[in-house]
Amino acid sequence: MSTSKRRCPWAENDPLLQKYHDEEWGVPNVDSRSLWELLMLEGFQAGLAWITVLRKRDAFRKAFRNFDPKAVARLGEKDIAKLLLNPGIIRSRAKIVATIGGAHAYLAMQANGLELSDFAWQFVDGKPIQNHGPVTATTPLSETISKQLKWRGFKFVGPTIVYAWMQAAGMVNDHSKDCFRRNLCAKLKAQGR
């Protein structure tokens, strides 16, 4: 663990959180499949600490076919029963079913010519918001995106989950002002935009 770098307070005390913070959190992500995976994992995190999801992320990837939406959309009741017995993941039937439904919603968007990346990034005009105010659990924008996702059939996408997704995916830069990643992430642009 490096002590010379000042990080966001939530990432200071665990090596796995530090790695995630230093390499992923707040980096603009424009890959639709990766954004979908992140949104599904944020849904699994509901009511839990993010470190719980990070510790189980590899198991989630294995259990959910590397978050291939087509493969996840084919999961049925027998698969759900197996997933509920898998100690490597968060065993919530509602969240598992929501992930399968999320695969269907993702594929329906694609079938209608809309990539999840384009959908998400349109709300921030294709460039990350540089938040200079206090970090809140929700924003009016996360409420708007949440409503749109729910309308499209996604579950476990309330405004708090959506805002955490926006932070993680780099749609908003919420690194603390004294964090070494803040200025680095501020210079990043959504690739391909």
Side-chain angles (χ1 to χ4, degrees):
M1 271 193 298
S2 170
T3 56
S4 63
K5 295 177 183 174
R6 181 167 254 154
R7 292 178 176 86
C8 296
W10 61 265
E12 286 289 353
N13 297 318
D14 184 282
L16 188 57
L17 281 176
Q18 286 181 355
K19 181 174 173 44
Y20 173 72
H21 171 273
D22 294 358
E23 297 175 10
E24 295 179 58
W25 194 76
V27 174
N29 183 340
V30 296
D31 178 76
S32 289
R33 196 226 43 91
S34 177
L35 283 168
W36 179 73
E37 174 184 341
L38 186 56
L39 183 60
M40 297 302 99
L41 289 174
E42 291 287 356
F44 271 103
Q45 184 260 337
L48 303 169
W50 181 244
I51 187 65
T52 303
V53 174
L54 277 183
R55 287 181 179 140
K56 296 176 177 279
R57 185 160 59 167
D58 289 339
F60 271 114
R61 286 176 173 161
K62 185 175 180 184
F64 285 97
R65 318 303 199 263
N66 203 32
F67 285 95
D68 173 355
K70 289 180 182 175
V72 173
R74 290 192 295 268
L75 297 178
E77 280 301 320
K78 287 183 181 179
D79 301 298
I80 293 169
K82 287 180 187 174
L83 289 168
L84 287 169
L85 297 174
N86 184 340
I89 66 168
I90 295 163
R91 295 177 285 181
S92 161
R93 180 176 182 81
K95 292 175 182 181
I96 291 167
V97 169
T99 300
I100 296 167
H104 288 281
Y106 175 92
L107 294 171
M109 286 174 73
Q110 277 191 332
N112 287 314
L114 181 60
E115 289 293 331
L116 182 59
S117 178
D118 295 331
F119 166 82
W121 283 93
Q122 73 179 332
F123 291 100
V124 294
D125 293 327
K127 57 185 183 238
I129 295 168
Q130 303 302 316
N131 188 7
H132 299 289
V135 177
T136 59
T138 65
T139 65
L141 183 56
S142 75
E143 291 172 14
T144 297
I145 297 171
S146 170
K147 287 176 187 171
Q148 286 291 316
L149 287 166
K150 287 176 183 178
W151 181 81
R152 292 177 182 282
F154 289 90
K155 305 279 188 230
F156 283 93
V157 290
T160 301
I161 288 170
V162 168
Y163 194 69
W165 178 60
M166 292 170 66
Q167 292 171 309
M171 286 182 270
V172 59
N173 183 359
D174 265 341
H175 283 283
S176 58
K177 65 181 178 180
D178 59 350
C179 175
F180 86 100
R181 292 288 294 165
R182 179 164 184 82
N183 290 335
L184 293 170
C185 285
K187 293 176 186 173
L188 299 174
K189 299 199 180 342
Q191 299 301 314
R193 302 228 164 261

